[in-house]
Structures are given as C-alpha cells and as structure tokens.
Amino acid sequence: MTSKKRTAFRWTVRLLMWTATALTAALVVALVVYVMAKGVPHITWELLSTETSYLYDRKGILPNILNTIYIILAALVLVIPLGVGAAVYLTEYAKNKRLVAAIEYAAEILSGIPSIIYGLVGMLVFSEFLGLGSSLLAGALTLVIMNLPTIMRSTQESLKTVPQSYREGAFGLGAGKWRTIRTVVLPGCVDGVITGCILSVGRILGESAALLFTAGTANNLNGLFEAMTAPGSTLTVALYYYAKEEGEFEVAFAIAAILMVLSLLINLAATWVTRHFQRRKAL
Amino acid sequence: MKPIITAKDLCLWYGSAQALDHITLDIPENSITALIGPSGCGKSTFLKTLNRMNDLVEGVKITGTVTYAGKDVFATDVNQLRKEVGMVFQKPNPFPMSIYDNVAYGPRTHGITAKKDLDQIVEQALRDAAIWDEVKDRLKKNALGLSGGQQQRLCIARALAVAPKVLLMDEPTSALDPISTSRIEELVTQLKDRYTIIMVTHNMQQAVRVSDYTAFFLLGELVEFGATESLFSQPVDRRTEDYITGRFG
Amino acid sequence: MEMKKNTRSWQKHMEQVVYGIFLLLGLITIGCVLLITVYLVISGIPAIRQIGLVEFLFGDTWKPTAAEPSYGILPFILTSVYGTAGAIVLGVPIGFFTAVYLAKMAPRKIKLVVEQAVSMLAGIPSVVYGLVGMMVLVPGIRELFDLSDGACLLAAIVVLAVMILPSIIKMSVTALEAVPKEYEDASLALGATPEETWFRVSVPAAKSGIAAAVVLGVGRAIGEAMAVMMVSGNVANMPGLFESVRFLTTAVASEMGYASGLQRQALFSVALVLFVFIMLINAALNYFLKGDRKS
C-alpha cells in the first residue's frame, strides 16, 4: 500500500516536472518560430533603408533603427562613468558599512521600479523641468537611471575579483590612491563593464514604456546630434504604434523579428562573454 | 558470530581509478566494527557501498558481491535497503526543519502518518540517541539551533527512527569537540545490543575504545581484519603494525 | 625640497578632489531613488487631496472627461491585483516544476539548452509579447469562449504568466542549487527516493529563495505596461476574466499622452499608488532574501 503510494508520488511529480519543462521549452520555440515566420518575409531592403512616407505610400524603419542605436550610445556613454564610479566608490573607498548597504539597497529599489514609472518621472524631470522636451536625450537620460544598477553591480562584481595584492603592490611603490585605482583597479574591471553593457543594451533594446513620453513617437530621419534634441521613436515604440494605433501588422512583425534576432544575439554574446572571462580568470 | 553483511571480491572504480580492490569481509551481527586506515584508503568508499550511496556518483563501476541478511544488495530495492542499513555522516547534517520533523522524516517517508505513532517513534528515537532530555521542551524549534554534538546525536536519532538493523557511521565524531565525542562513543556502545554498527574512524584510540572488530584498509585493499584487541596487540601483517604504531598515515 | 613639498600637497588636494567625485558617484543611486520618490509624491499628492483619498482609492468609476468627472481608481487597483494573482497562479506552478527539473533531475545537455531558452524568453521585448498576444491569444480567446472581443483580463493574465516565467525559473534554480548536498544525502540514506528528497528536503530548504522568486514575479507582473496594454482591451471596467480592463500601469500609459489638468494630476497619483505597491513588494523581497542569508 505505502509502496504503491510512493510509486504514485514518484510518477506524479516526474510527470509534472516533465510537462512543465516541455511546456516552457515549447513556448519559447513556438514564440520564436511564429514571430520569425510572420516577420521575416516582410523584412525588405526598402523597409530597412527608408523612412515611412504617406506621400509615396511606403513603410520604412530606418529612422527607428538609427534612433535605437543613438539612444543606446547616448545612454551608455552617460551611464558607464556613473555606474563605474559608483562601483569604485563602493569597493575602493567606502568604509561605512551602513552607507554601503544603503547604496546597494537603493540600487535594488531602482532595478525593481517598473519602466512606466521611469517614463513618467523622466518626462517630469528631463522633458519638463529641464526643458528637454520630447527628445532622444530625455529618453537616454531616463534610460541612464534605469541601467545604473546593472552597470554598477557588474562592475562591482569584477572589482571584487581584482586581487588585493595588486593594490598593495601599487601602494607599495608609492602610488597614491587615485593612481592605484587608475592603473591597477580600473583595468581589472573591463570585463564587468562589458558584461554590464551587454545586459544594458538588451534592456534598452526591449524598452518601450519608459520611452513613450520621454523620447516621443516621431519617425523622422535625423543625424546623431539633431536626433538628440528631436523626438524620435525606437524600434519597440514603433512596433507598438504600427501594431496598436495603425494596424500595420506586417511592419510590426518585421520589427518583432528583427528585435527577436537581436535579443538572441545579445543573449549569446552575454553567455559567451561570461564564459570567456571566467576562463581567463581561471588561467 | 553470525555475519549480517558479507562482501566478496568487491572491487570499485571511480572512472579509471580503482578505489576498492577485491575486498572480502564478514561483518558480525550486533557488534561494532571499526574501519581504519590512512586517508584515501577506501574505508569510506567501502562503507558507502554497503547502503549503495555510491550509486549517486557518476562513472562508478562495481564488481563482486555484497549481501545483507543473505540478499544481494545490488538486487534489492535501494530504498528498502537504506531503511534497514541507516547512515550517520561525518558532518552533522540535520535538515533545516524542526527537531521533531527531522526525526519524523524517515518514518513519514516510509508511510507512517498517524500523529500518535509518530510521537511515540520520535520520543523513542530521541531517548535511544540520549538527547531526549535536552530537546523534549523544544521539539518544534529549528534543529539548526542545536550545538554540533547535539546535532550529531539528533542525526543518530533520525537514523534510528526508521528502525534499521545496521548503522553505518562515517567518522561521526571528527567534526566534534572531545566532550561531544565521548558522549557519542558512549552512545554507540549502548546501541550495539540492538544494532550492528560499522564505523569509519581516523582515530585509532577511538577504534580501540569502542569497537569489537577492526578492519585495516590500505590503498583500496583490506590488509587485516580481526578482533580489535588482537589486531592492535598482535597485528599479523607488517603494514598494520607500521600503521598502528604511527610509522605512516 | 620646496618643490617636492608642493607636489606633495598638490597631490593631497587632488586625492581629496578625486575622493569627493567618487563619493558623489557612489551616492548617485540613493539620489535617484530620492528624486523618483520626491517627484512622485509631490506630483501625486495634489490630485488625491482634491479628489479625497477614499473617493480616489475606493471609487469604482473612472470618468475623468465626463461632464461630472469622477476619479475612482478601484477598477485599476483590482485589475492589477487580480491580473498579478492570475499570472502567479498560472505561472508559478509551471516555473516551479521546471526549476526543480532543471536544478535536480535534468541531464546536463537538456539543462543547458532549456536554460538558454529561458534566458531567451527573458530577453524578448514586452511589445513583442504584446504583438503575439494581440494576434494569437486575443482571437483565440474570442473564438474559444465565444466573446465579442477577446481582449480581456484573461489574455493579460496569460501574457503576464509567460513573462514572469524566466525570473521565477532562474531564481528558483539558483536557490535549489544552493541547497547543501549533505541534506539530500541524509534523506537518501534514510531510504527516501530522489523525488521525495527533492520535494520534501530540497524544496523546503530553498523555500525563502523560491518565495523571493515568486515575489520578484509579482513585481514584474504588476509593473508591466506595454504588453498588457496591447491585449487587455484598455477600458476602465471592474475586473472580470472576460472583461476588457485597464491596469494601474496601462491607465498611466494610455492617458498620459493627452491628459491635462486634474486628469493628468490624477494619473500621477495612480503612478504613486503603483510605486507604493512596488515598494511593499521590494520590502517583501528583501525580507525573504535576508531570511535565506540568515539560515
């Protein structure tokens, strides 16, 4: 009797585990295949290389591609020094344990705040209070706050692996604190910064709610510097508008397929980079 | 004495490394057998083969036979085998649950659910493990709050609660202080009336103090087996003598 | 000698300047949290004052543009709560059993492949989830339940359940893998099967980590805006499974573009309410993670 019960338990949980895992895996495969099948046929050279024009009845996502690249660049340029600086402070300078805990807790809170709230505060602070209006710069600044914890934490992780003896060696040669940090500590955190950047690029690429009211929804073709002060929509925001407001599902799926491929690549890059750095550390 | 466990020509490989080399050994019932030898000699591996804990290790290959109560252990249901051949580990490893739930875990696993029965089993096991008086007022408290020595006696109680015939102990006192150690040794000698105990130990004084029989392992081989008294006073093999007189190891 | 002294003191000054800069950078996360909190509170309070806290939180009608406007956000709050609860009910069992399989049972190769797939799931942008939901789920629900419109709470729940899967799986796997092998050995040595060991020893031992995973999922679900906006119909109804509904997040996202005056201020208050929810979830998360560290 008991042994029957035990066998039943064994097979029930096995079945549940197999079903759940199969379901998860099938979900991923189905999503990828569906989006690719619906999207890839509509990715044409014209779509990629032009801007949307009602005059010529043409759909083009070049401005959105460029906006996405611009906003990623702008956000990274701003967030890297801030995030790395914060990490350096935490690992090299901070002595007060309470302050460190407070800073780390603040970073945790930041990574838990939903993007729609970032969008709202970004709009209030950057677009309205600082008068940047609806612009890529306002969007990029919003993304800077969102991605600060990511960069900070991955830099911190890699700084922790810089051997204490390196620092002692530099101090021993009479180098000041700043010189030690510049010459010994910072070069050691490059891998953490790169990992953090990859994660951030992934997050920015997929972000939409935070950009809706900060970067705006325009589809004009701009150069890097004009774009910063002009409104412009990224690929995700464009996808939303084409699908929800205009019912242009072919363009929407084409963008979705592009985003899917990019996020796949970013995933692979993240895995590869982590593995690569781990191997190098092990040597 | 009637043997309860018999190993015959037992060989074991981890991948390509041989850890046990043709071990043939009879373990007498209701006695304490100590397994001694330097680190890596195969004594722990041998112990873990008896309740098939080695099954979990990847790339293990076993030849030869082990019988428990006349049955081939590799052919019996492993869960039934482990119910009858219990084990106490080197490091005390109570589950992160209450003291009561720790002891009740085994009986529950084997299908006892009535609270009255469980209460009785738990109390008896804790009494047998000589820890009842220390924990009876805090059975619902987390077991991780106990001291190391208490945790180890709790683990013994947990093993006793499924009513095993044999108790395997893998250096049960090596992580404990001298006072806790002597309490466990005292407990073990009390238990041998009802259980067969096989105990791996690093500590030769412990083997002398506690055991009836001693097996000396070296490099995966069983060098010598006999009554503890005679093995330590008149070892037959030269290597045994060298080891117990502290010439190596 | 004199010169050397000068460089020394110059160096000392520079060190102090550098220290100051790093201190500022270190405090930047705290600054950002304060900035967000202060802005949300300052811009969220006026509307609540004008409307009245009880009226605002427990009013069941949201009609900011009617002749006699009313600003009750109970429909949004309940929709967010029900939607999140639904996603948890649907997503947690799947995520949990997948996690146990991956952490304890799966052969190495299968584990690697499925974990990679789960990371992919995490990387898919929410608008893509929304798009697929719009095109597959919404028509599917309409057909299946014979509704006039399939965009409803149920569709949002399904999308959210899928979206929270990766965080639940990843965090639970980490927690389960951290369970000391000694616990599992002890259980096996008592004659428990591997399955009994995983579910009666490993899972209880990892319970705070798994609870944290669930709380993280709650946070994700309650904060998601774009995907649910695309599949939930976006009407301020009281929630029902087949009702077209609006979440706290989508209320902000859908009206902020054009709202003005009190309506706009009320949207800030909605965001404030959402923020309070998130802070509570954060506190819960912290509690569970701390519990894990202690034991």
Side-chain angles (χ1 to χ4, degrees):
Chain A
M1 183 60 212
T2 20
S3 127
K4 245 186 208 159
K5 243 190 203 162
R6 292 179 74 181
T7 318
F9 175 80
R10 176 186 198 134
W11 288 102
T12 314
V13 295
R14 279 194 173 189
L15 204 65
L16 284 169
M17 285 191 285
W18 283 328
T19 317
T21 310
L23 203 63
T24 308
L27 211 59
V28 180
V29 174
L31 263 168
V32 173
V33 169
Y34 177 76
V35 170
M36 288 301 167
K38 290 282 249 180
V40 171
H42 303 296
I43 303 177
T44 58
W45 179 243
E46 192 189 62
L47 182 81
L48 295 176
S49 63
T50 59
E51 55 185 318
T52 293
S53 158
Y54 295 100
L55 200 59
Y56 303 111
D57 190 23
R58 183 180 68 192
K59 296 276 173 263
I61 57 167
L62 181 62
N64 312 113
I65 295 175
L66 290 178
N67 284 338
T68 308
I69 296 172
Y70 296 157
I71 212 162
I72 286 175
L73 288 178
L76 285 186
V77 164
L78 295 168
V79 76
I80 290 172
L82 298 180
V84 172
V88 168
Y89 176 75
L90 284 177
T91 46
E92 308 296 322
Y93 284 101
K95 297 215 178 63
N96 186 335
K97 276 208 179 110
R98 273 211 193 135
L99 184 62
V100 172
I103 291 171
E104 283 177 347
Y105 187 55
E108 254 170 62
I109 291 178
L110 282 185
S111 45
I113 292 177
S115 27
I116 185 73
I117 287 187
Y118 279 110
L120 200 71
V121 174
M123 179 187 84
L124 288 171
V125 177
F126 301 122
S127 302
E128 292 176 7
F129 183 72
L130 294 182
L132 296 173
S134 224
S135 66
L136 282 191
L137 187 58
L141 287 168
T142 312
L143 293 173
V144 166
I145 306 182
M146 284 179 78
N147 288 288
L148 194 59
T150 315
I151 301 280
M152 183 181 109
R153 217 168 291 145
S154 60
T155 309
Q156 224 184 328
E157 286 306 310
S158 68
L159 282 178
K160 277 183 198 156
T161 63
V162 174
Q164 198 56 34
S165 60
Y166 287 14
R167 298 185 181 95
E168 283 159 7
F171 285 135
L173 290 170
K177 183 124 191 164
W178 165 232
R179 201 177 145 69
T180 306
I181 288 172
R182 212 178 35 175
T183 54
V184 177
V185 175
L186 284 181
C189 73
V190 174
D191 50 353
V193 177
I194 291 176
T195 313
C197 284
I198 293 174
L199 295 176
S200 295
V201 169
R203 188 155 180 207
I204 297 172
L205 198 68
E207 189 48 60
S208 43
L211 298 176
L212 219 46
F213 310 118
T214 53
T217 53
N219 287 322
N220 301 322
L221 203 53
N222 287 316
L224 175 58
F225 292 101
E226 329 159 56
M228 279 300 126
T229 52
S233 63
T234 59
L235 283 169
T236 42
V237 175
L239 189 165
Y240 173 75
Y241 265 85
Y242 282 123
K244 194 82 197 336
E245 310 287 324
E246 299 186 14
E248 296 280 358
F249 294 113
E250 292 181 356
V251 190
F253 271 113
I255 299 177
I258 294 171
L259 287 172
M260 201 80 129
V261 172
L262 289 176
S263 73
L264 186 69
L265 290 177
I266 286 167
N267 244 318
L268 289 177
T271 318
W272 185 82
V273 162
T274 330
R275 226 178 268 162
H276 176 78
F277 287 134
Q278 264 167 5
R279 202 174 312 144
R280 216 182 52 186
K281 284 242 162 72
L283 285 178
Chain B
M1 273 264 185
K2 173 175 108 190
I4 185 163
I5 289 181
T6 303
K8 209 170 217 168
D9 280 330
L10 180 67
C11 297
L12 182 145
W13 290 265
Y14 293 122
S16 60
Q18 185 164 14
L20 293 178
D21 188 3
H22 293 91
I23 308 288
T24 298
L25 179 63
D26 287 336
I27 307 275
E29 199 170 1
N30 290 346
S31 65
I32 300 174
T33 303
L35 310 181
I36 63 168
S39 317
C41 66
K43 55 191 193 299
S44 274
T45 302
F46 177 72
L47 191 78
K48 283 180 186 157
T49 310
L50 302 182
N51 69 343
R52 292 178 55 191
M53 286 301 277
N54 278 328
D55 284 17
L56 303 169
V57 182
E58 237 172 277
V60 155
K61 207 185 99 192
I62 301 172
T63 63
T65 58
V66 177
T67 57
Y68 160 73
K71 288 170 292 180
D72 178 6
V73 299
F74 299 114
T76 40
D77 175 51
V78 67
N79 304 314
Q80 196 54 38
L81 172 74
R82 287 175 185 163
K83 182 175 179 293
E84 298 193 19
V85 182
M87 187 167 210
V88 175
F89 295 80
Q90 185 171 359
K91 225 178 95 202
N93 57 353
F95 302 130
M97 317 169 177
S98 72
I99 293 167
Y100 183 94
D101 287 339
N102 260 282
V103 183
Y105 180 87
R108 278 180 179 143
T109 299
H110 295 283
I112 297 170
T113 48
K115 176 140 183 3
K116 221 181 76 197
D117 297 345
L118 282 175
D119 284 352
Q120 206 180 345
I121 292 172
V122 169
E123 179 172 346
Q124 191 57 50
L126 288 169
R127 279 187 193 281
D128 287 349
I131 192 180
W132 171 253
D133 289 331
E134 291 158 68
V135 299
K136 64 181 178 207
D137 299 324
R138 46 171 173 157
L139 291 175
K140 296 290 166 206
K141 293 267 165 61
N142 195 314
L144 298 179
L146 298 173
S147 75
Q150 289 174 321
Q151 286 190 7
Q152 193 62 304
R153 275 179 286 141
L154 175 68
C155 291
I156 293 173
R158 185 176 63 185
L160 296 179
V162 292
K165 299 280 188 317
V166 179
L167 210 50
L168 309 176
M169 300 183 134
D170 189 1
E171 300 189 35
T173 60
S174 68
L176 303 179
D177 60 275
I179 294 170
S180 305
T181 299
S182 69
R183 292 207 64 171
I184 302 253
E185 287 177 3
E186 205 178 303
L187 168 63
V188 169
T189 39
Q190 284 164 11
L191 289 175
K192 81 166 173 186
D193 298 339
R194 281 172 291 156
Y195 307 93
T196 305
I197 291 166
I198 307 170
M199 182 184 201
V200 167
T201 178
H202 248 112
N203 178 334
M204 274 179 283
Q205 277 80 40
Q206 186 168 60
V208 174
R209 279 195 301 262
V210 181
S211 70
D212 304 310
Y213 299 92
T214 297
F216 171 56
F217 282 73
L218 187 64
L219 300 169
E221 253 182 273
L222 174 63
V223 174
E224 190 167 346
F225 175 69
T228 302
E229 240 184 65
S230 65
L231 187 132
F232 277 91
S233 54
Q234 302 146 328
V236 177
D237 196 290
R238 179 68 201 283
R239 291 168 293 175
T240 313
E241 193 182 343
D242 285 350
Y243 182 68
I244 58 178
T245 53
R247 235 161 274 175
F248 67 86
Chain C
M1 201 62 193
E2 192 59 27
M3 237 179 80
K4 216 175 188 175
K5 218 173 174 182
N6 264 340
T7 14
R8 277 268 164 83
S9 78
W10 184 80
Q11 221 176 35
K12 214 172 146 193
H13 279 297
M14 201 187 76
E15 289 289 347
Q16 268 169 350
V17 171
V18 170
Y19 173 78
I21 291 172
F22 278 116
L23 176 64
L24 277 182
L25 290 174
L27 294 175
I28 201 165
T29 53
I30 296 181
C32 287
V33 171
L34 288 179
L35 181 85
I36 291 168
T37 314
V38 166
Y39 255 95
L40 280 175
V41 170
I42 288 180
S43 46
I45 293 289
I48 294 180
R49 270 208 174 145
Q50 201 171 330
I51 298 159
L53 184 65
V54 175
E55 174 71 37
F56 181 69
L57 288 180
F58 301 106
D60 59 5
T61 321
W62 174 261
K63 272 190 184 144
T65 47
E68 249 179 74
S70 78
Y71 298 93
I73 65 161
L74 192 62
F76 306 156
I77 295 180
L78 288 182
T79 301
S80 278
V81 171
Y82 291 175
T84 303
I88 291 296
V89 167
L90 204 59
V92 166
I94 298 175
F96 169 73
F97 282 107
T98 305
V100 180
Y101 177 78
L102 290 180
K104 299 295 169 194
M105 190 178 177
R108 236 181 76 85
K109 271 191 187 153
I110 295 186
K111 183 179 170 180
L112 276 178
V113 171
V114 177
E115 278 187 336
Q116 201 64 42
V118 171
S119 312
M120 260 219 74
L121 210 55
I124 297 175
S126 47
V127 283
V128 175
Y129 281 108
L131 179 66
V132 176
M134 258 175 97
M135 303 305 286
V136 180
L137 205 55
V138 169
I141 288 176
R142 190 183 57 214
E143 300 267 305
L144 194 62
F145 298 100
D146 200 18
L147 308 167
S148 59
D149 184 7
C152 60
L153 181 59
L154 180 62
I157 286 176
V158 175
V159 170
L160 287 176
V162 176
M163 291 182 76
I164 62 174
L165 265 186
S167 10
I168 291 177
I169 293 176
K170 276 190 189 168
M171 209 160 169
S172 305
V173 166
T174 312
L176 284 165
E177 280 178 343
V179 172
K181 203 178 156 301
E182 287 87 15
Y183 295 164
E184 287 162 12
D185 282 350
S187 165
L188 293 170
L190 287 167
T193 62
E195 287 81 2
E196 287 162 352
T197 301
W198 301 329
F199 285 91
R200 298 198 176 140
V201 173
S202 313
V203 168
K207 64 175 186 291
S208 31
I210 295 173
V214 174
V215 175
L216 193 70
V218 170
R220 285 279 141 79
I222 210 165
E224 179 51 44
M226 301 306 273
V228 294
M229 189 143 85
M230 293 167 86
V231 299
S232 64
N234 209 13
V235 181
N237 288 323
M238 281 304 236
L241 216 45
F242 300 112
E243 212 67 57
S244 174
V245 290
R246 193 178 283 182
F247 291 72
L248 286 169
T249 50
T250 54
V252 177
S254 59
E255 289 182 27
M256 191 46 89
Y258 58 81
S260 62
L262 185 58
Q263 183 188 1
R264 188 175 140 97
Q265 289 190 312
L267 291 179
F268 293 140
S269 314
V270 172
L272 180 60
V273 171
L274 176 62
F275 186 67
V276 170
F277 269 105
I278 291 289
M279 293 308 260
L280 290 177
I281 290 166
N282 244 318
L285 192 64
N286 223 38
Y287 170 79
F288 284 122
L289 288 177
K290 274 236 177 83
D292 226 16
R293 257 172 247 150
K294 243 183 239 161
S295 70

